[in-house]
Amino acid sequence: MPDSLVRIYLALGLLLPALAQQTVLLLSTDPDIIYNPPLCTSSSTKPGCISPWQVSNDTIPGTTIVYTNGPIPQAGNVIPQMFLTFRASTLYLRTTSSSNATVNLTLTAEPTDVSMTTEVNTSISLIVAVNIPEAQMTTLGITFLQGNLPARFDIESITLAVANASSPPIVVSLPTVSSTPNSGAKNNKATIIGAILGSILGALYL
């Protein structure tokens, strides 16, 4: 079981790994990132699209981000989620200074079905998952957690890296998730298996 442990680092600013690694950068509007309900963009949605996921170019000049303030009645109060299936050893998810929501972050490796979930406050600028089993496909799932006060979750980009420079990261294209009122409950795993949480200041062991 120790070989299957996943270590999560929540960092205010962590340098990317050595240049010997191969990386893939996914911007927040990349079609391989699946948003539920579907993201409203001028090129990918039908007229009259309503979604809690929105696109903004104002938070960081010259950068397009995807953000959500949580469920909205116009979209059936569906809990905002995002998914990405990939093969890599390290994942970097960059937020922005406007992001302050708490989310559930889930990583599930297939075919072993080893899964862990932890709550993350997205006010940090960088979320880093390391020691992901590189030989398996892994699905990242993020679920917005609604609190008593207004909150916002921003996604600027996701970077995938592999320790073996001869084997580039792989991103799997998935079909668009259909929006249903119960989809949040069905897709949100709440199992924590061998998770180690840490930060640049120390580590907290569960």
Side-chain angles (χ1 to χ4, degrees):
M1 180 61 70
D3 291 339
S4 66
L5 297 183
V6 178
R7 180 173 297 170
I8 300 293
Y9 286 95
L10 310 181
L12 293 175
L14 190 64
L15 295 178
L16 292 179
L19 295 178
Q21 293 188 342
Q22 291 201 42
T23 61
V24 170
L25 173 65
L26 302 177
L27 301 180
S28 57
T29 54
D30 191 287
D32 290 320
I33 301 175
I34 304 301
Y35 294 97
N36 183 45
L39 174 66
C40 288
T41 64
S42 58
S43 61
S44 64
T45 58
K46 298 179 180 179
C49 173
I50 298 175
S51 173
W53 291 105
Q54 299 293 324
V55 175
S56 173
N57 298 304
D58 300 329
T59 304
I60 303 176
T63 301
T64 298
I65 66 164
V66 172
Y67 73 95
T68 180
N69 295 110
I72 58 175
Q74 300 91 325
N77 286 318
V78 177
I79 299 173
Q81 294 180 294
M82 66 140 291
F83 302 94
L84 177 68
T85 297
F86 61 92
R87 193 182 75 190
S89 58
T90 307
L91 177 146
Y92 303 83
L93 190 153
R94 188 171 295 279
T95 64
T96 75
S97 59
S98 299
S99 191
N100 62 353
T102 298
V103 299
N104 262 353
L105 186 151
T106 300
L107 288 170
T108 303
E110 300 291 347
T112 58
D113 201 31
V114 173
S115 177
M116 58 78 58
T117 297
T118 186
E119 288 189 9
V120 178
N121 187 316
T122 63
S123 61
I124 58 177
S125 62
L126 190 64
I127 300 169
V128 184
V130 302
N131 291 345
I132 302 171
E134 189 173 303
Q136 301 183 57
M137 300 305 297
T138 300
T139 296
L140 166 70
I142 297 181
T143 301
F144 185 95
L145 297 179
Q146 192 166 15
N148 296 325
L149 298 176
R152 169 170 164 155
F153 172 41
D154 291 2
I155 301 173
E156 179 184 340
S157 65
I158 295 176
T159 299
L160 304 172
V162 293
N164 182 359
S166 64
S167 177
I170 295 176
V171 180
V172 178
S173 296
L174 299 175
T176 301
V177 177
S178 59
S179 176
T180 58
N182 293 324
S183 60
K186 290 189 293 184
N187 289 308
N188 178 26
K189 289 191 175 183
T191 303
I192 299 178
I193 300 178
I196 301 176
L197 305 182
S199 71
I200 56 173
L201 299 178
L204 171 66
Y205 295 86
L206 299 185

